[in-house]
Amino acid sequence: LEELGTLLAVGEAINNNGAKAVYTQTNDPNGNSVIAHAVLSNGKIDINSIKTFNTEGNGGQGLDAEGNPQPIDPLFSQGAITRGGLMLFAVNAGSNTLSMFNINPNDPTSLTLAGKPQNTLGEFPVSVAFSEKLQTACVVNGGKLNGISCFKANKDTGLTPLDNQQRPLEINTLSTPPVGPLGTVSHILFSPDSSNLFVTVKGNPEDSTAPLGFLGSFPVVDGKVSSDPIRKSTPNGSVVLFGSAFSGDNTFIATDAGFGAITLDIDPATGSANASSTTKVDGQVATCWAAFNKNTQTTFITDIGQPSINEVNAQGDIINTLNLEGVTGMIDIAASNNNFVYSLAPTESSLVVSQSLNNGLQQEQVLKMNLDNGLTTFMGMVVFQ
């Protein structure tokens, strides 16, 4: 792979405590690959270090309202890849499988497939979560056979199924691939203490049977994700819950494509969520992805229809906005400890690198990489640091 498009870098490096590598995946229906990029000590991506690794599965594309394959954000999700420790996980939506890689700690752009991809017990997996505490990966399927299945992760043997059947989401997805993005599965993630597994599902205002989405949860009992029926909560004011990030042990920030983002207070005992603040983004088209930075204690959100990154504080206020040139919108996003933020601009097959500084978000560098096949199906963003 030689092209990933325009790379925008914002700000200079601070120290060596930030990202050492960033990962995304092609989500190519003809053969999915994880792409690894080395990150220099100044926070910028080394354009000469790109490597690709076959997942031994295929990517997938959801359908638009006319039944055509969705070229941009084709999984309608956040978290198509995730990382924990020296393990990396990637969904293969077109193969209904989950792949696991081991990361070389001496060269984090070097990945080795661990075992074989495992069947997800459903159709069209779109997002994966990993708990280092539990050494467990859970994947959410977003097709007609939707639900959640979990695996024990081991660096030597790879993924071992923990379930014989999925945990149903109790949503009425009519097809595989699903028609979206409205009414589809968005994101799966563990709480910071691994006491609960959460999933966000979008509402569909055009569907009278499911106009509102929900935050679903499963408690962890005796070290395993419960198979009891899903607990659902629809926070006041939410409609199209999408990508999300924990900003505290029981504080959850979810983007909402209807207006921007919503901050939720979670009751870990019941999984219920109450809105503590809403963030309305002026001129937004579909704000759908979020990443929390522990260093700045702020959350970064992106919009597939706007070339901007918004930085949101704990009170839900937008404190910085970066408007970028050369891209039309961004999807998946990840933050590093030294205040750099890495996100995908799929229309241009691009990576965007930005940094939060005392005087705001600033743009500094534009890099380009060449791609022969013109893919725009890229999904997922995660850092190694």
Side-chain angles (χ1 to χ4, degrees):
L1 184 71
E2 289 153 4
E3 173 196 346
L4 197 61
T6 307
L7 179 64
L8 300 169
V10 184
E12 288 295 337
I14 298 176
N15 53 50
N16 291 325
N17 295 323
K20 306 298 189 299
V22 297
Y23 312 97
T24 185
Q25 66 171 353
T26 63
N27 187 43
D28 187 343
N30 296 313
N32 189 19
S33 295
V34 171
I35 308 171
H37 316 257
V39 177
L40 301 171
S41 61
N42 65 3
K44 302 171 186 177
I45 293 177
D46 182 355
I47 193 172
N48 297 313
S49 69
I50 298 173
K51 301 176 183 177
T52 61
F53 301 89
N54 191 333
T55 66
E56 296 188 3
N58 295 329
Q61 291 177 272
L63 307 177
D64 64 18
E66 286 72 42
N68 300 310
Q70 186 81 7
I72 305 298
D73 180 32
L75 301 185
F76 311 130
S77 70
Q78 179 172 319
I81 60 174
T82 196
R83 182 193 67 83
L86 296 175
M87 300 176 186
L88 183 77
F89 306 88
V91 300
N92 301 304
S95 301
N96 303 328
T97 58
L98 178 68
S99 297
M100 172 183 159
F101 292 88
N102 289 320
I103 301 171
N104 185 335
N106 299 314
D107 175 12
T109 65
S110 180
L111 306 178
T112 304
L113 195 65
K116 290 291 185 180
Q118 293 294 308
N119 188 283
T120 60
L121 304 181
E123 295 175 343
F124 208 73
V126 297
S127 183
V128 56
F130 178 69
S131 165
E132 288 191 67
K133 178 180 179 180
L134 305 175
Q135 291 294 288
T136 296
C138 294
V139 61
V140 59
N141 295 295
K144 187 174 182 178
L145 295 179
N146 55 74
I148 292 171
S149 58
C150 296
F151 305 82
K152 185 63 72 174
N154 180 281
K155 66 181 182 64
D156 297 319
T157 57
L159 297 165
T160 300
L162 293 173
D163 304 313
N164 295 318
Q165 59 185 9
Q166 297 189 89
R167 295 159 185 81
L169 296 180
E170 300 174 2
I171 59 175
N172 188 26
T173 303
L174 299 178
S175 65
T176 300
V179 176
L182 295 177
T184 60
V185 176
S186 299
H187 191 200
I188 188 172
L189 70 170
F190 281 95
S191 60
D193 64 358
S194 294
S195 64
N196 282 282
L197 178 68
F198 290 92
V199 60
T200 52
V201 176
K202 308 173 198 68
N204 183 356
E206 300 170 2
D207 181 357
S208 61
T209 65
L212 300 177
F214 62 86
L215 177 68
S217 66
F218 297 86
V220 174
V221 181
D222 297 329
K224 296 181 179 180
V225 178
S226 173
S227 294
D228 288 345
I230 188 171
R231 304 178 301 184
K232 295 183 180 181
S233 177
T234 299
N236 290 337
S238 65
V239 179
V240 190
L241 293 175
F242 209 109
S244 49
F246 272 93
S247 57
D249 289 341
N250 299 306
T251 306
F252 186 87
I253 296 180
T255 56
D256 193 302
F259 54 84
I262 188 167
T263 301
L264 305 176
D265 292 328
I266 305 292
D267 180 349
T270 64
S272 62
N274 292 308
S276 60
S277 66
T278 56
T279 303
K280 294 186 178 180
V281 180
D282 291 339
Q284 74 100 39
V285 176
T287 303
C288 295
W289 294 268
F292 180 71
N293 187 320
K294 293 181 180 179
N295 187 38
T296 61
Q297 292 291 298
T298 56
T299 301
F300 299 88
I301 57 177
T302 55
D303 185 329
I304 194 171
Q306 292 291 331
S308 61
I309 298 174
N310 286 292
E311 184 175 6
V312 181
N313 65 16
Q315 291 72 45
D317 301 319
I318 297 175
I319 58 172
N320 287 311
T321 298
L322 174 63
N323 295 310
L324 294 158
E325 296 181 358
V327 295
T328 54
M330 285 166 290
I331 58 171
D332 286 278
I333 186 168
S336 69
N337 291 337
N338 64 343
N339 302 352
F340 278 86
V341 180
Y342 302 87
S343 55
L344 270 172
T347 301
E348 295 78 22
S349 301
S350 308
L351 284 178
V352 177
V353 184
S354 55
Q355 187 184 12
S356 177
L357 303 171
N358 291 333
N359 58 344
L361 293 162
Q362 298 180 17
Q363 178 176 336
E364 180 182 294
Q365 182 183 15
V366 177
L367 299 176
K368 285 194 174 184
M369 292 174 278
N370 298 318
L371 181 65
D372 294 331
N373 56 14
L375 281 176
T376 61
T377 54
F378 302 100
M379 293 293 303
M381 178 62 62
V382 69
V383 300
F384 178 91
Q385 55 190 358

